Amino acid sequence: MKATLAILTIGVVPVSEVLPLLTEHISEQQITHHSLLGTLSREEVMEDYAPEPGEALLPTLLSDGELGNVSLPKIERALQSVIEVLDNQDYEVILLMSTAPITGLVARNAILLEPMRIIPPLVGSIVDSHQVGVIVPIPELLENQSHKWRGLVKTPLLSVAIPFWDSEAKLIDAGRDLLERGADVLMLDCLGFHQRHRDLLQKTLDVPVLLSNVLVARLASELLV
């Protein structure tokens, strides 16, 4: 059976959460998952991907369950190398499951789906002039949000909740804070957030909630018919 979709992740990402969205049109046996750092120890990661002075940092969840700051340029180069290998293996779609500010990746044969390139304009077309409130997983990601969402009609409001460790109450508080500041649509912008988080916010706060991994997974599924 021909493998059709390659999912590429950087650190530890629970890919199983999005598989039901992807297997509407193809079998799970046609999907492969490749993690750049997810199977490496922290020591192995830092040996190859520790940031040099002045390099941009990328916070990533590692196999020990803790975040680690790795070099963004080194990660970009390594991802491109993996994509080139996958691109020569007859995959129809390569799905990068990361909301990190990664740019410049290229696939010559497969369709390459990059959430950073796809999600902001897609969300902009959905919300139009509504006020978006974006929930990000760690404070370190707040800095690049104004650039990431520059295409929105209104500058998004921002809040922080960690999907891996924070309680449901903390997530609800983050969403309620955004609503009180004027948001009328919420965006969960981390692949660690899942449909249960979206459902919790929609039920508790009675507000539309968009979810990064659902948006990109549904787009990928449409390409796999």
Side-chain angles (χ1 to χ4, degrees), residues 2 14 25 47 88 100 103 114 123 133 136 141-142 153-154 157 161-162 166 175 188-189:
K2 178 184 176 183
H25 303 299
E47 182 177 344
N88 291 317
T103 58
E114 303 168 272
V123 170
V136 299
L141 295 180
L142 291 173
V153 174
K154 296 181 179 178
L157 305 170
I162 305 172
D166 281 349
L188 294 175
D189 192 32

XYZ file of all heavy atoms in Angstrom, residues 2 14 25 47 88 100 103 114 123 133 136 141-142 153-154 157 161-162 166 175 188-189:
163
model
N 0.596 2.149 -0.877
C 1.421 3.343 -1.029
C 1.236 4.318 0.135
O 0.125 4.653 0.512
C 1.063 4.035 -2.342
C 1.830 5.320 -2.591
C 1.344 5.997 -3.854
C 2.029 7.347 -4.061
N 1.507 8.037 -5.253
N 1.507 15.162 20.046
C 0.598 14.007 20.048
C -0.177 13.912 18.742
O -1.321 14.337 18.631
C -0.322 14.295 21.244
C -0.269 15.772 21.431
C 1.081 16.224 20.973
N -10.293 9.863 4.463
C -10.141 9.544 3.049
C -9.056 8.513 2.768
O -9.045 7.914 1.701
C -9.830 10.820 2.261
C -10.863 11.901 2.417
N -12.163 11.729 2.039
C -10.778 13.152 2.916
C -12.844 12.842 2.301
N -12.022 13.715 2.835
N 23.298 18.636 21.798
C 24.576 18.419 21.130
C 24.538 18.939 19.692
O 25.515 19.494 19.192
C 24.924 16.927 21.136
C 26.266 16.617 20.496
C 26.619 15.148 20.587
O 25.997 14.428 21.395
O 27.526 14.722 19.844
N 11.465 12.700 -2.092
C 11.897 11.716 -3.088
C 11.318 10.332 -2.831
O 11.758 9.350 -3.436
C 13.421 11.644 -3.127
C 14.043 12.906 -3.712
O 13.565 13.426 -4.707
N 15.092 13.389 -3.070
N 5.548 27.057 14.756
C 6.753 27.875 14.935
C 6.965 28.783 13.728
O 6.506 28.487 12.623
C 7.968 26.972 15.127
N 10.322 29.472 8.085
C 10.101 29.939 6.715
C 11.142 29.320 5.776
O 12.154 28.790 6.209
C 10.204 31.472 6.625
O 11.509 31.877 7.096
C 9.141 32.143 7.473
N 2.528 24.109 5.426
C 3.194 24.753 6.553
C 2.176 25.610 7.296
O 1.700 26.612 6.772
C 4.327 25.647 6.066
C 5.373 24.938 5.235
C 6.300 25.923 4.549
O 5.967 26.361 3.432
O 7.336 26.262 5.147
N -7.314 32.030 8.814
C -8.068 32.586 9.937
C -8.579 33.974 9.590
O -9.721 34.325 9.889
C -7.190 32.628 11.209
C -7.879 33.431 12.318
C -6.886 31.209 11.676
N -9.003 36.693 19.728
C -8.169 36.518 20.902
C -7.358 35.251 20.735
O -7.928 34.176 20.552
N -1.727 31.416 23.312
C -0.466 30.752 22.973
C 0.013 29.973 24.203
O -0.396 30.258 25.330
C 0.606 31.765 22.513
C 0.145 32.491 21.261
C 0.907 32.781 23.616
N 6.429 33.026 23.202
C 5.870 33.107 21.854
C 5.065 34.375 21.614
O 4.616 34.629 20.492
C 4.990 31.887 21.572
C 5.705 30.537 21.535
C 4.713 29.419 21.258
C 6.803 30.531 20.472
N 4.886 35.181 22.653
C 4.084 36.399 22.502
C 4.748 37.404 21.570
O 4.083 38.136 20.847
C 3.839 37.033 23.872
C 2.924 36.263 24.829
C 2.922 36.920 26.198
C 1.505 36.175 24.274
N -7.599 42.058 10.201
C -8.136 43.417 10.165
C -7.861 44.123 11.493
O -7.478 45.293 11.519
C -9.647 43.387 9.873
C -10.243 44.787 9.979
C -9.911 42.796 8.484
N -8.056 43.412 12.600
C -7.806 43.970 13.928
C -6.648 43.231 14.588
O -6.565 42.002 14.515
C -9.053 43.847 14.805
C -10.247 44.646 14.309
C -11.434 44.480 15.244
C -12.626 45.291 14.763
N -13.816 45.089 15.649
N -5.795 40.135 20.309
C -5.505 40.166 21.737
C -4.829 38.843 22.105
O -5.100 37.811 21.502
C -6.796 40.352 22.533
C -7.630 41.584 22.132
C -8.993 41.533 22.807
C -6.900 42.854 22.496
N -1.879 30.098 27.947
C -2.267 28.905 28.707
C -1.492 27.737 28.123
O -1.377 27.603 26.907
C -3.775 28.657 28.617
N -0.946 26.901 28.984
C -0.088 25.795 28.545
C -0.938 24.530 28.425
O -1.438 24.023 29.435
C 1.064 25.570 29.533
C 1.856 26.869 29.737
C 1.993 24.459 29.041
C 2.900 26.796 30.833
N -1.255 23.103 32.247
C -2.230 23.951 32.934
C -3.568 23.237 33.093
O -3.946 22.393 32.275
C -2.442 25.263 32.170
C -1.321 26.262 32.409
O -0.508 26.021 33.324
O -1.246 27.267 31.680
N -9.229 32.341 28.336
C -10.258 32.674 27.369
C -11.182 33.766 27.858
O -11.523 34.695 27.105
N -6.870 28.932 19.356
C -5.905 28.143 20.117
C -4.731 27.862 19.199
O -4.795 26.993 18.324
C -6.554 26.851 20.607
C -7.684 27.017 21.633
C -8.321 25.680 21.953
C -7.167 27.685 22.899
N -3.629 28.590 19.397
C -2.531 28.562 18.437
C -1.352 27.758 18.962
O -0.267 28.281 19.198
C -2.094 29.986 18.088
C -1.159 30.008 16.890
O -1.323 29.146 16.006
O -0.273 30.872 16.826
